[in-house]
Amino acid sequence: MNEITQKQFFSRSVSHNLDLSILIRTLNEADRIESTIRSVLPLDAEMVVIDAGSTDDTVKIAQSLGATVFHNAWPGFGPQRHYGEQKCTGRYIFSLDADEIVTPELVTQIREVLSRKEPPKLIIVRKAIVFPNRSEPLPFGFAHEQILLYDKHVAFTGPNPNWDKLEISTTEKPVTLSAPLNHFSLRDWNHAVRKLNYVAQLAADTQKPKSLFELNLRLIFEFPSTFLKFYLLRRYFMGGFDGFIMAITSAFGRWLRIVMMYENRVYRKGHKRFE
């Protein structure tokens, strides 16, 4: 979809109401929160933003676009999402981050599936990765599949601070939407290094400890195996040198997590652990 058509799509008035809340976590996202919110305006749904204490214009921009903003000091990925779920009034929750853009095609599919007489309770959304400094995902590139749209009566986010793991009380199989959202996880390579360092330390400090034997093995094999997984199986090689850099950076982040776990296991005592 070209730029003009996309702007026309986003500016149209949508009269179809859905029992849906769009939940977005933020922290200093003034440079991209507007694009994220504008991408979901055609859903005509409640917008709830949980802000962890932004010092830029994130809150002001979100409120100007119709979002209700709640402040909550950052407790970790899972607890922050769960806090937001409790603020949502819609039956269905569409979980987003401020670095994700919902494509017009995905908007159409969401509206269609939630308009059914009996909508599915669990809906998988495909997150197409966009490399730093690029504006679009790779053609036929890798897309991570995750339940991001769900009935809050049967699913809610658990307490794990490392990721958004849903606690699910239904045996109903999820439905997968074919249209993706675009995931701009990393602004640039500087941001990549800072983010990977934070996530690695968080995992080391909060995950259940691993045996020294396992850590020793993973110190040797984590980097090369992860590089091959990302570069080949996730098709990062299709991105040229950007894909090579992305695979190297991702592998380093995974390896750094093991390094920090090893450091805690061998040299530190009494560090915080997630139970």
Side-chain angles (χ1 to χ4, degrees):
M1 180 175 289
N2 61 44
E3 184 178 356
I4 295 177
T5 305
Q6 190 176 36
K7 286 181 179 179
Q8 290 174 341
F9 181 93
F10 288 147
S11 64
R12 285 195 307 232
S13 175
V14 181
S15 60
H16 186 79
N17 294 317
L18 302 173
D19 193 3
L20 173 68
S21 294
I22 299 164
L23 174 58
I24 306 173
R25 291 178 303 206
T26 59
L27 177 62
N28 293 329
E29 302 284 359
D31 60 326
R32 48 191 185 176
I33 186 63
E34 180 174 354
S35 297
T36 297
I37 291 179
R38 287 195 182 279
S39 75
V40 294
L41 287 179
L43 288 172
D44 193 29
E46 176 187 51
M47 288 186 293
V48 174
V49 169
I50 306 301
D51 187 76
S54 294
T55 56
D56 60 10
D57 288 334
T58 297
V59 171
K60 180 180 178 181
I61 295 170
Q63 291 174 333
S64 72
L65 293 169
T68 301
V69 179
F70 297 92
H71 298 272
N72 192 53
W74 181 252
F77 291 97
Q80 188 77 331
R81 181 76 77 195
H82 183 64
Y83 175 86
E85 289 168 343
Q86 296 174 312
K87 300 298 183 182
C88 293
T89 63
R91 175 177 178 178
Y92 282 84
I93 294 176
F94 185 18
S95 222
L96 284 177
D97 285 327
D99 57 8
E100 296 169 345
I101 304 295
V102 178
T103 61
E105 294 78 13
L106 180 56
V107 167
T108 299
Q109 290 187 6
I110 291 173
R111 292 180 61 196
E112 187 279 324
V113 75
L114 292 185
S115 298
R116 296 176 187 173
K117 185 176 181 180
E118 294 185 8
K121 293 180 172 58
L122 304 172
I123 301 172
I124 294 174
V125 176
R126 301 174 64 249
K127 301 172 68 167
I129 295 174
V130 182
F131 292 165
N133 305 306
R134 294 201 176 192
S135 60
E136 296 180 349
L138 297 174
F140 310 107
F142 176 78
H144 177 68
E145 296 186 350
Q146 184 178 352
I147 299 174
L148 296 179
L149 186 54
Y150 49 93
D151 184 339
K152 68 181 183 182
H153 295 158
V154 301
F156 63 89
T157 306
N160 195 314
N162 292 284
W163 56 74
D164 309 318
K165 183 178 181 181
L166 285 178
E167 305 287 342
I168 298 172
S169 61
T170 179
T171 58
E172 180 180 311
K173 292 185 178 180
V175 170
T176 303
L177 302 182
S178 60
L181 62 78
N182 294 338
H183 189 197
F184 296 82
S185 178
L186 306 173
R187 294 178 173 92
D188 52 36
W189 299 118
N190 183 294
H191 180 222
V193 172
R194 288 186 285 113
K195 185 172 183 178
L196 291 174
N197 183 67
Y198 167 76
V199 172
Q201 190 66 67
L202 177 66
D205 289 345
T206 60
Q207 287 186 3
K208 294 180 180 179
K210 302 182 185 304
S211 70
L212 186 58
F213 176 76
E214 179 182 352
L215 290 174
N216 287 337
L217 283 179
R218 293 181 68 176
L219 281 172
I220 299 171
F221 296 109
E222 189 80 11
F223 187 96
S225 62
T226 303
F227 171 78
L228 292 174
K229 174 184 176 181
F230 281 73
Y231 192 65
L232 298 177
L233 298 182
R234 295 195 176 183
R235 303 184 294 280
Y236 284 10
F237 66 87
M238 298 176 65
F241 281 111
D242 284 345
F244 179 79
I245 296 170
M246 188 71 171
I248 287 286
T249 304
S250 301
F252 173 73
R254 295 288 185 90
W255 180 77
L256 187 62
R257 179 183 60 183
I258 304 303
V259 170
M260 292 179 178
M261 289 180 176
Y262 174 85
E263 182 178 51
N264 283 345
R265 181 74 168 78
V266 175
Y267 298 108
R268 295 180 178 174
K269 303 295 182 180
H271 62 278
K272 180 182 177 182
R273 294 173 180 173
F274 173 70
E275 301 297 342

